[in-house]
C-alpha cells in the first residue's frame, strides 16, 4: 500500500481501504490564488496549509485531500484587496458549493471525519456555510455522524513567548500579516526558492479606518501588496511556527477525533 498521505497519490482501492469504517481523518487545505507582494509567489495560501496538513497527517495517520487552489475575494484590510493582477477569486456561493460538494462525496465514500484547514482568512465564513449546508443535507439523508473541524493554522500560534520570538519589535496583529513576517518565514522554511528576500519592501504597517469602502480605493493598500513588511522574516522563525502549528493541531485533532480501534 502506498505510504503517501496525499489522497491524489493513492489508487482508489488504497483509498477505499483507508476510508472504510469512517475512522480515518481526512484533511482539506483551503487556499487562494492571491498576490503576496513583490517577494513571494501567489499560491502561498495553498502551499502553507498543505504543508501543515502533510506534517500533521504523517503524525496522526490522516489523509490529505488536494487543496482548493482558489478562494474567496481578497479584502483590502486582510489581503490587500481584489484589484491586483493575478489575484483570482471565487464568488462566495462557488466556494460554499464546492465545500458542500466535497463533503457530500467524502460521506458517500464512507468518511466521517474531516478537518478543513484554511490558509486564506477571507474563506472563513464561506467554508462554514458549506459545512452547514452539507451537514444539513446529510442529516436529511440519515447520516448524522459526519463531523467537521474547521481551523486556520495561524490561530495555533498563541503562546506569548512564541509571539515575542517572532516579533521582538512588537506584534501588530494577524489582520495585517498578509505577506509579512509570518507567511514569509514559513515559505522560507518550506519553499525558499519561491521567496526573494531582496524584493521585500520595508514599508510601515498598513493602517485602515475601522470600516470598509466599496469600490475599494487601491491607494489605501501599500504599493507592493503586503500589509506589513517581511523584512525580519527568517527560516528559523518559519521552522518555529511550523513546529507550534503542527503539534498544536495534531493535539486538537486527537481530542476531537479520538482513536476508537486502537489503530
Ligand atoms: Zn496569504
Amino acid at each position: 500500500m502506498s505510504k503517501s498521505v496525499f489522497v491524489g497519490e493513492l489508487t482508489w482501492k488504497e483509498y477505499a481501504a483507508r476510508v472504510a469504517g469512517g475512522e480515518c481523518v481526512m484533511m482539506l487545505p483551503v487556499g487562494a490564488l492571491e498576490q503576496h507582494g513583490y517577494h513571494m509567489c501567489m499560491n502561498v495560501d495553498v502551499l502553507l496549509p498543505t504543508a501543515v496538513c502533510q506534517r500533521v497527517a504523517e503524525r496522526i495517520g490522516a489523509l490529505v485531500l488536494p487543496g482548493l487552489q482558489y478562494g474567496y475575494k481578497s479584502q483590502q484590510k486582510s489581503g490587500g484587496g481584489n484589484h491586483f493582477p493575478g489575484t483570482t477569486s471565487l464568488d462566495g456561493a462557488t466556494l460554499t458549493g464546492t465545500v458542500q460538494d466535497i463533503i457530500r462525496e467524502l460521506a458517500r465514500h464512507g468518511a466521517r471525519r474531516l478537518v478543513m484547514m484554511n490558509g486564506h482568512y477571507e474563506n472563513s465564513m464561506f467554508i462554514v456555510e458549506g459545512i452547514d449546508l452539507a451537514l444539513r443535507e446529510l442529516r436529511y439523508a440519515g447520516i448524522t455522524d459526519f463531523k467537521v473541524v474547521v481551523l486556520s493554522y495561524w490561530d495555533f500560534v498563541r503562546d506569548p513567548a512564541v509571539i515575542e520570538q517572532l516579533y521582538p519589535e512588537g506584534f501588530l496583529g494577524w489582520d495585517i500579516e498578509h505577506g509579512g513576517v509570518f507567511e514569509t518565514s514559513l515559505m522560507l522554511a518550506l519553499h525558499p526558492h519561491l521567496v526573494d528576500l531582496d524584493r521585500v519592501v520595508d514599508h510601515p504597517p498598513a493602517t485602515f479606518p475601522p470600516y470598509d469602502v466599496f469600490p475599494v480605493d487601491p491607494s489605501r493598500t501599500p504599493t507592493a501588496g503586503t500589509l506589513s513588511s517581511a523584512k525580519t522574516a527568517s527560516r528559523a522563525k518559519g521552522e518555529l511556527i511550523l513546529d507550534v502549528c503542527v503539534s498544536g493541531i495534531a493535539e486538537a485533532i486527537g481530542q476531537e477525533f479520538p482513536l476508537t480501534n486502537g489503530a
Side-chain angles (χ1 to χ4, degrees):
M1 183 178 264
S2 170
K3 289 268 191 283
S4 177
V5 297
F6 290 110
V7 163
E9 297 177 5
L10 305 181
T11 67
W12 73 268
K13 291 292 279 181
E14 290 167 338
Y15 173 81
R18 292 291 303 279
V19 173
E23 171 136 323
C24 184
V25 174
M26 314 299 292
M27 304 188 75
L28 176 61
V30 189
L33 185 63
E34 181 188 35
Q35 67 78 21
H36 276 72
Y38 296 151
H39 70 290
M40 278 201 300
C41 58
M42 293 199 292
N43 60 346
V44 169
D45 293 356
V46 176
L47 294 175
L48 297 183
T50 300
V52 175
C53 280
Q54 179 185 3
R55 282 158 180 75
V56 172
E58 285 165 355
R59 197 176 287 197
I60 66 169
L63 288 177
V64 183
L65 293 150
L68 300 191
Q69 304 285 315
Y70 299 93
Y72 184 65
K73 295 156 195 160
S74 180
Q75 297 298 297
Q76 188 164 40
K77 287 158 66 178
S78 51
N82 213 61
H83 51 285
F84 286 86
T87 296
T88 308
S89 306
L90 302 177
D91 285 351
T94 311
L95 177 56
T96 295
T98 304
V99 169
Q100 189 178 359
D101 289 353
I102 292 171
I103 292 176
R104 186 193 307 115
E105 286 292 83
L106 293 174
R108 176 175 68 80
H109 306 154
R112 292 294 183 267
R113 298 172 155 190
L114 173 64
V115 174
M116 301 199 55
M117 190 177 299
N118 186 22
H120 174 69
Y121 172 76
E122 288 87 336
N123 289 337
S124 305
M125 279 306 132
F126 298 100
I127 295 176
V128 169
E129 178 68 352
I131 294 168
D132 185 65
L133 296 182
L135 294 190
R136 187 170 73 186
E137 186 183 353
L138 293 181
R139 221 164 32 241
Y140 292 161
I143 297 172
T144 56
D145 58 348
F146 198 105
K147 177 173 171 178
V148 186
V149 170
V150 57
L151 60 89
S152 297
Y153 64 90
W154 54 83
D155 283 335
F156 286 77
V157 181
R158 291 181 300 173
D159 181 345
V162 173
I163 300 271
E164 164 69 23
Q165 281 185 70
L166 299 176
Y167 304 96
E169 61 295 322
F171 182 47
L172 298 160
W174 294 123
D175 42 345
I176 55 162
E177 244 303 327
H178 180 69
V181 170
F182 188 84
E183 286 184 316
T184 304
S185 295
L186 275 172
M187 286 296 287
L188 285 171
L190 291 162
H191 302 284
H193 65 293
L194 297 174
V195 185
D196 183 353
L197 281 184
D198 292 340
R199 294 194 179 174
V200 168
V201 178
D202 187 11
H203 63 77
T207 53
F208 296 105
Y211 54 85
D212 295 289
V213 178
F214 297 98
V216 159
D217 173 0
S219 70
R220 295 187 185 194
T221 302
T223 315
T226 47
L227 296 185
S228 55
S229 176
K231 195 166 163 278
T232 62
S234 71
R235 184 182 181 107
K237 286 182 180 178
E239 280 163 3
L240 171 65
I241 296 167
L242 203 53
D243 271 2
V244 168
C245 290
V246 169
S247 45
I249 292 168
E251 190 188 334
I253 294 174
Q255 281 169 11
E256 295 298 332
F257 295 125
L259 293 176
T260 55
N261 65 5

